[in-house]
Amino acid sequence: MTPQKDTPAGSVAAPPTTTGVGRLSLRAVGAGSWRRSPRLAVELLDRWSARTSGPAAEGTSGFPFEAVLGHFQAVGRNQADPDLIERLRVLAGSLPPPRTVHDRILANWLPGTFDHEDGNYDSYAAIPLLEELAGADGPDRIDAGLDGLIVALLADLLRFEATGLRANPNAAKQRARTQATFRALVRAGEIAPLAEDLLPSIPSSDTARGDRELAAADAVLTRVAEPVRHAVRIAMLPTTNRHDEVMFIRSVQTFELLYRRIARGLERAVSFVDGGEPSAAIGEVTEAADKIAATTLLYRVLTTMPRESFAEIRANTSGRSAIQSRAYREIELRGAPIPPNPQAPPLSVEGISLQEVFTAMPGGPAATALAAAMRNLDDAWRGMKRTHWGITLKIIGQVPGTGGTSGADYLRIAADQPLFPVLHPGTGEQDGGVRIA
């Protein structure tokens, strides 16, 4: 995609109708020439590097995020200035050991600014940065950290879409996207129950107008801790300057954190069964099923993706396939032993699977109840995959997947694969291991 030309001094800014769903991002059209040009970012980065490498080193304080982000978001990551990218690469290799949460944020954010040749799904969506932040308060707070980030991501997306609606109040597609995002935030407690305190009382409505949605997003974001708001803001490095890629990246990030949360729950379920606490294991499995069922909220947002926009995003994200998702594959491995998927990077997890500890249980009411909970999770998991298949078929048709798969056909086959093959005699465990395209 060709970067936008600088607007001549005194000219009229591009009209709002050039922005929004199916069009350019407001961050591209509304950006001044100083954002599109890398000059300011390079100058401020050089000043910061000189200051922090000298005797009066200040850690990550004062890093010019605004200037760097302004350039990247105005032109797209793939069109960012090569000289700026190289400076960021050198900086990443020379950072001192992190001392603060902001040091760790910078260290985990930088690799995503220069991943053009060796990028993957994680670097595309800044997953290492978000996962690092989720664990910043200690291992006992990771689940709460994940839930808080999920809510913050949805609130930030709603703010972005509501701003787009205010610029284009009569755009039906923008209104539909904003409404779907609003509903996802209102009901975010279903996928992020430990962050319900971040959700103020938000009245639901069938009509999106922009102002109310923007107020709701701001009400949530003001309750979010400053490091989380900061990390969410900078974890947006789209490869293009299309409005729709912001929604896509936020959706990827939300799903990845949700999958991580579910994988942790299944790991605990195994420990509970091993420790003779089947009722606690049933609780974990039931909660996981409820979260998976609630992903329909997120998929309703994804269905607003125009086919032509996604075609451009796909063309700019080669090598960054969802088949690389570690959290998704961990859920599969926590569920049952499956053979490696040759199309996905290798992954292993410690310990045995839930299916293995379940089959080792003696018969009785506890085993029967756990089997019922596992079956509900299995049904929800396959239902989610069928939804993904249907959306993929609508948006990209039958074109091959970016991870080397057959695309929608691959997802159709994947949707038939159970999470717990032992509950489905005749399916054959050798058929496991398939993954979304």
Side-chain angles (χ1 to χ4, degrees), residues 126-389:
I127 301 304
L129 164 62
L130 298 174
E131 289 184 340
E132 168 72 27
L133 193 60
D137 292 333
D140 295 336
R141 296 284 299 167
I142 293 178
D143 287 343
L146 291 169
D147 282 10
L149 277 165
I150 288 171
V151 168
L153 289 167
L154 289 174
D156 186 80
L157 176 59
L158 179 58
R159 193 179 204 293
F160 178 75
E161 298 297 348
T163 302
L165 182 59
R166 292 178 74 186
N168 300 284
N170 298 317
K173 291 181 179 179
Q174 185 62 53
R175 188 163 54 251
R177 167 83 60 78
T178 305
Q179 184 67 12
T181 308
F182 177 73
R183 288 172 177 164
L185 181 62
V186 169
R187 296 175 55 187
E190 296 177 32
I191 57 176
L194 296 182
E196 283 189 297
D197 61 320
L198 297 177
L199 299 169
S201 178
I202 305 174
S204 60
S205 173
D206 294 331
T207 305
R209 297 183 177 86
D211 291 343
R212 179 203 53 178
E213 289 78 14
L214 189 60
D218 286 343
V220 172
L221 290 171
T222 56
R223 300 185 178 200
V224 172
E226 186 278 329
V228 175
R229 285 199 308 273
H230 173 59
V232 165
R233 185 176 67 86
I234 67 174
M236 177 50 63
L237 294 171
T239 62
T240 72
N241 58 8
R242 305 297 297 188
H243 180 96
D244 298 297
E245 191 175 6
V246 173
M247 179 274 285
F248 182 67
I249 290 176
R250 287 296 186 229
S251 295
V252 168
Q253 292 169 335
T254 302
F255 269 107
E256 286 301 299
L257 297 182
L258 178 60
Y259 291 153
R260 175 67 57 214
R261 181 85 155 81
I262 291 169
R264 287 175 54 80
L266 292 182
E267 183 179 14
R268 286 192 296 270
V270 171
S271 297
F272 284 135
V273 175
D274 252 354
E277 300 180 68
S279 60
I282 291 168
E284 293 285 355
V285 175
T286 299
E287 183 176 331
D290 291 342
K291 287 187 174 71
I292 292 297
T295 58
T296 55
L297 298 167
L298 306 179
Y299 278 116
R300 288 191 188 108
V301 178
L302 273 172
T303 58
T304 64
M305 171 72 76
R307 178 177 287 206
E308 60 275 11
S309 292
F310 196 58
E312 183 171 347
I313 294 169
R314 281 168 56 84
N316 280 274
T317 53
S318 177
R320 297 165 175 85
S321 170
I323 200 170
Q324 299 166 349
S325 169
R326 293 174 294 111
Y328 183 104
R329 286 181 292 133
E330 184 177 345
I331 291 175
E332 293 184 321
L333 291 169
R334 297 288 181 196
I338 57 175
N341 182 350
Q343 294 172 303
L347 179 71
S348 61
V349 299
E350 294 183 1
I352 59 177
S353 68
L354 182 57
Q355 177 172 288
E356 289 172 295
V357 294
F358 165 72
T359 55
M361 290 177 68
T368 300
L370 180 56
M374 291 168 61
R375 190 169 287 108
N376 287 338
L377 174 56
D378 206 321
D379 290 344
W381 186 249
R382 289 190 293 162
M384 181 193 71
K385 292 192 290 182
R386 285 192 292 272
T387 298
H388 184 218
W389 167 47

